[in-house]
Amino acid sequence: MSALRVHHIGYLVKKIEKAKQTFELLGYRTEQDVVYDDIRKIDICFMVMGDCRVELVSPVSEDSVVAGLIRKYKNSPYHICYETDNYEAAYAELTASGFLAIDTPTPAPALDGRKVVFLTSAAVGMIELIVPA
Ligand code: NI
């Protein structure tokens, strides 16, 4: 497998400001304040502690991509995002190993418009891959 590096842990939250305050209480600092992603209808905020980056994700409307997930999982981590120096090879290896793409590369406003793609595995659930610009 092409080397992957963890970029962030995606964390579903119902109330992003309260979640932000609570992560601050835990010792995280705000790396990037709340950004609205109008493609996915979510608010996003990046928090960091040491090498760990958490992406708070909160649905803004009922047609948000995560509206169904938050009903099921409540406030909870739900994906790990990876970056890699060799995206094409990593994507090919993941899909050959049983990961199914659940969307196509789509711009992520909270990541300076870089594209991301989500894949799912029966064994480990959802992952996200950053597509290099
Ligand atoms: Ni993410």
Side-chain angles (χ1 to χ4, degrees):
M1 177 67 64
S2 301
L4 302 177
R5 298 180 301 279
V6 174
H7 183 270
H8 65 259
I9 296 167
Y11 210 109
L12 285 171
V13 297
K14 292 181 181 171
K15 296 186 173 158
I16 200 158
E17 286 301 330
K18 279 210 163 169
K20 212 180 119 182
Q21 288 165 15
T22 306
F23 273 99
E24 281 168 354
L25 186 76
L26 291 169
Y28 290 75
R29 69 176 172 80
T30 302
E31 181 185 45
Q32 179 181 281
D33 213 340
V34 179
V35 169
Y36 177 59
D37 179 333
D38 62 350
I39 297 169
R40 300 174 183 81
K41 310 268 173 58
I42 53 181
D43 278 335
I44 291 182
C45 171
F46 284 109
M47 312 283 297
V48 289
M49 185 200 284
D51 291 335
C52 182
R53 179 184 292 111
V54 171
E55 173 195 43
L56 305 182
V57 176
S58 190
V60 168
S61 63
E62 267 306 302
D63 58 345
S64 160
V65 287
V66 297
L69 288 176
I70 204 157
R71 277 195 294 275
K72 189 169 177 184
Y73 297 122
K74 316 293 182 198
N75 297 307
S76 171
Y78 75 111
H79 72 261
I80 300 179
C81 177
Y82 300 94
E83 54 187 347
T84 173
D85 294 330
N86 196 344
Y87 169 78
E88 297 297 337
Y91 184 88
E93 287 161 15
L94 286 167
T95 52
S97 308
F99 280 81
L100 285 176
I102 54 178
D103 62 4
T104 54
T106 305
L111 291 172
D112 301 320
R114 278 186 288 173
K115 290 181 179 176
V116 296
V117 63
F118 283 87
L119 302 102
T120 187
S121 145
V124 304
M126 193 153 60
I127 69 166
E128 178 181 20
L129 262 189
I130 296 177
V131 183

